[in-house]
Amino acid sequence: KTYNASFRETGLPSHTTWYVQVNGIQYNSSSSYLNLSLINGTYNFQVLNVNNLVSEPTGGYIAISGSNLTRDLTFVPGYKVTFVESAKNALPAGTSWYIQSWNYTRTTFSNQVSMLFPTGTFTFEARSGDPNYYGSGGNFTVGASATTVNVNFTRGLFNVTFIETGLPAGHKWAATTGNLTEYSTTTSLNFTTLPGGEYTFNFPASGKYIGNYTTVTVNTEGMNKTLYINFGYGYFITFN
């Protein structure tokens, strides 16, 4: 069985077409009501801006539970808010980032992204498409004019740990990435506080012991990483 789910708007000029997306499907109306037939369930909705007018609320959820439902929407003047990525702590070129604020989520590959907000105070959170970078968040206030909000990203620091098996107790072994070499005489070898990113690690033979791999590439992906390496007794062959 279906029930009537109505969105009722105020604030738009007569006969203005307005749009609502429900579970990702877009519907429109040129009257004060937009009517849908829905079965029981929970639906997310997003109200699109109309020229320089924004809806309060701009989005959220409706729940159909055995009866009809009406959701009121009020269109009010919207003012441009531009979120600008700090040049000092910029992401690598071509990295996506996005802003979450007031039911908005907007993604960009450039150094800024703009949205319309009504007057008021809002919270925001910036996130990077690269999990090795952390974005800033906070509050901003919108008056009757355009607003700029600065966004900072910080490159995280992570640990990469290798756990070995196969070496005699106390045997010294090593790993190298770039110009950094770490040594260990226990079963674990640690690279600490590495800036987030991709690293290639090389494992030289340890005496007569050789690892089951001599090179491995690791991306920290926003978290500490632990990898395992197994050493075995190696036989060296000389070709004349």
Side-chain angles (χ1 to χ4, degrees):
K1 183 177 180 179
T2 62
Y3 299 90
N4 187 50
S6 297
F7 293 91
R8 178 172 56 196
E9 72 80 17
T10 58
L12 289 177
S14 298
H15 309 299
T16 300
T17 302
W18 51 288
Y19 303 84
V20 177
Q21 292 179 344
V22 177
N23 279 5
I25 300 174
Q26 185 167 292
Y27 305 90
N28 68 78
S29 174
S30 298
S31 70
S32 296
Y33 284 85
L34 191 158
N35 299 308
L36 303 175
S37 293
L38 300 175
I39 62 173
N40 286 335
T42 300
Y43 301 82
N44 65 70
F45 73 92
Q46 185 80 34
V47 185
L48 277 62
N49 298 338
V50 179
N51 298 321
N52 288 323
L53 299 174
V54 296
S55 169
E56 292 186 313
T58 187
Y61 294 88
I62 56 173
I64 304 298
S65 182
S67 61
N68 298 329
L69 175 145
T70 298
R71 186 63 182 264
D72 289 316
L73 307 172
T74 302
F75 281 89
V76 298
Y79 301 94
K80 185 178 181 180
V81 177
T82 302
F83 297 88
V84 180
E85 178 190 4
S86 168
K88 182 178 180 180
N89 298 305
L91 295 170
T95 302
S96 67
W97 57 281
Y98 60 95
I99 292 290
Q100 291 180 320
S101 181
W102 195 54
N103 290 321
Y104 279 133
T105 300
R106 293 289 187 274
T107 303
T108 183
F109 287 87
S110 71
N111 69 336
Q112 61 180 269
V113 60
S114 297
M115 291 169 268
L116 292 178
F117 287 81
T119 57
T121 299
F122 303 88
T123 62
F124 79 94
E125 184 176 3
R127 294 188 178 184
S128 168
D130 183 340
N132 290 309
Y133 290 81
Y134 302 119
S136 60
N139 301 317
F140 63 96
T141 298
V142 180
S145 61
T147 302
T148 298
V149 179
N150 293 317
V151 175
N152 294 297
F153 288 94
T154 302
R155 191 177 184 184
L157 300 176
F158 305 99
N159 302 329
V160 177
T161 299
F162 293 94
I163 306 295
E164 70 82 13
T165 56
L167 291 177
H171 194 94
K172 186 176 182 180
W173 58 294
T176 299
T177 182
N179 58 3
L180 178 63
T181 300
E182 296 288 350
Y183 299 90
S184 178
T185 55
T186 68
T187 56
S188 66
L189 185 151
N190 303 295
F191 289 83
T192 60
T193 61
L194 293 175
E198 186 172 275
Y199 295 87
T200 297
F201 296 90
N202 297 299
F203 297 85
S206 181
K208 293 184 178 181
Y209 291 89
I210 300 174
N212 58 322
Y213 52 81
T214 58
T215 299
V216 65
T217 299
V218 180
N219 192 311
T220 54
E221 298 176 311
M223 66 184 75
N224 298 326
K225 289 294 183 77
T226 299
L227 293 90
Y228 298 86
I229 182 170
N230 180 45
F231 284 91
Y233 199 76
Y235 296 90
F236 295 88
I237 300 174
T238 300
F239 294 93
N240 295 319

